[in-house]
Amino acid sequence: MNNEQRANFGSKLGVILATAGSAVGLGNVWRFPYMAGQNGGAAFILIYIGCVLLLGLPCMVAEFIIGRHGASNTARAYSKLANGKPWKYVGYLGVLTGFLITGYYAVVAGWCLQYILASGVGHLQGSPSYVAEYFSTFSQSAFKPVFWTVAILLLVHWIIIHGVRCGIEKTSKLFMPLLFVLLLIVVVSSCLLPNAGKGINFLFYPDFSKVSKDVFLGALGQSFYSLSIGMGCICTYASYFSRQTNLLKSAVQISVIDSAIAVLAGLMIF
């Protein structure tokens, strides 16, 4: 398939929201707050931002270039550029990485569907111990986790078969703004709780005594994980970029959105 036959995103906003949607995930909402809390709060956040600027952004732009130039899936895009050389297998590793990640993402996303239903019918109204017991009962069920995993896979399949513009882009334009709104609501509610200032101080007070080489490596790994570097999706999405898409500007905007959601998640949790 040549470049002229391949579909493109319909708008610049669609490019940003769809690609940011692929980057934003468990790495932002769960892993980033946990790592920031364990590794010096604002000290870790500063190191993380440095890793994003120095390594994350260049790698994302590189994946954008490979994807748009290849105008195909990740494995084929790297094969085209490698021209028979061994590093073409880097593309296959990206596909394998995405496949392995899907193995647990689909399960956790299925949990989210169950929790949406449970919240809607009022089954999660209770003490923290009740909520913990609810999850334990649900996760040990032989049927429910499998059912919801299959349900999320079918939902994703339904979105994908509608194509880039009517499927992925349209869905991203709906759910990414909704994610921001829900995060802001929860963050405001959290910050209005009694003694919320202690949690905010815990997140944003820079404790450089906890900074070590392991913290630097953790921040570097988190920046790659959070931005979905080397997982195939960024390269694949870029194959649908038009030639008018500013790759550097798009990478900066996606990184800002990604990091902002990570910090909001920290406020929400702490």
Side-chain angles (χ1 to χ4, degrees):
M1 180 179 289
N2 59 38
N3 293 359
E4 287 71 29
Q5 292 175 310
R6 195 167 181 83
N8 291 323
F9 286 103
S11 65
K12 292 181 180 180
L13 179 62
V15 169
I16 300 303
L17 293 180
T19 312
S22 72
V24 171
L26 293 177
N28 306 77
V29 179
W30 167 74
R31 195 168 186 267
F32 180 87
Y34 162 77
M35 294 196 71
Q38 292 291 318
N39 297 300
F44 177 85
I45 295 175
L46 291 173
I47 297 171
Y48 167 81
I49 292 174
C51 291
V52 169
L53 293 175
L54 295 176
L55 293 171
L57 273 175
C59 288
M60 180 177 285
V61 173
E63 288 205 40
F64 280 168
I65 293 171
I66 294 171
R68 186 167 70 176
H69 179 78
S72 56
N73 61 61
T74 302
R76 191 174 299 169
Y78 276 86
S79 295
K80 287 180 179 179
L81 291 177
N83 195 23
K85 295 179 180 179
W87 61 270
K88 69 179 182 180
Y89 294 108
V90 172
Y92 290 95
L93 288 175
V95 175
L96 176 62
T97 302
F99 176 78
L100 295 175
I101 290 173
T102 302
Y104 70 86
Y105 250 83
V107 175
V108 176
W111 295 350
C112 294
L113 290 182
Q114 165 67 22
Y115 268 66
I116 290 172
L117 176 63
S119 300
V121 298
H123 286 174
L124 293 180
Q125 296 178 2
S127 63
S129 60
Y130 168 77
V131 175
E133 183 182 351
Y134 178 89
F135 174 75
S136 177
T137 303
F138 162 69
S139 61
Q140 292 176 17
S141 169
F143 170 74
K144 287 184 177 180
V146 176
F147 171 80
W148 288 113
T149 299
V150 173
I152 198 68
L153 289 173
L154 290 175
L155 178 60
V156 172
H157 173 70
W158 181 82
I159 293 171
I160 291 174
I161 62 174
H162 282 77
V164 176
R165 294 193 182 188
C166 296
I168 297 173
E169 182 175 355
K170 190 174 182 180
T171 305
S172 299
K173 285 183 176 179
L174 172 64
F175 285 108
M176 283 302 292
L178 180 61
L179 173 63
F180 267 113
V181 172
L182 292 175
L183 272 175
L184 288 173
I185 291 173
V186 178
V187 166
V188 171
S189 299
S190 298
C191 291
L192 293 177
L193 291 173
N195 296 318
K198 294 181 179 179
I200 296 173
N201 183 68
F202 178 75
L203 177 63
F204 289 119
Y205 177 78
D207 186 358
F208 290 101
S209 65
K210 294 185 177 180
V211 175
S212 64
K213 63 178 182 180
D214 291 334
V215 172
F216 275 94
L217 289 174
L220 177 60
Q222 173 62 25
S223 66
F224 274 60
Y225 183 67
S226 182
L227 294 173
S228 296
I229 301 298
M231 300 179 188
C233 53
I234 295 294
C235 184
T236 301
Y237 270 30
S239 70
Y240 297 100
F241 288 1
S242 69
R243 294 296 171 181
Q244 288 70 44
T245 301
N246 187 315
L247 299 184
L248 177 58
K249 184 178 180 181
S250 298
V252 170
Q253 291 170 331
I254 292 164
S255 299
V256 169
I257 293 173
D258 187 80
S259 300
I261 289 180
V263 174
L264 286 175
L267 286 171
M268 175 181 69
I269 291 173
F270 289 122

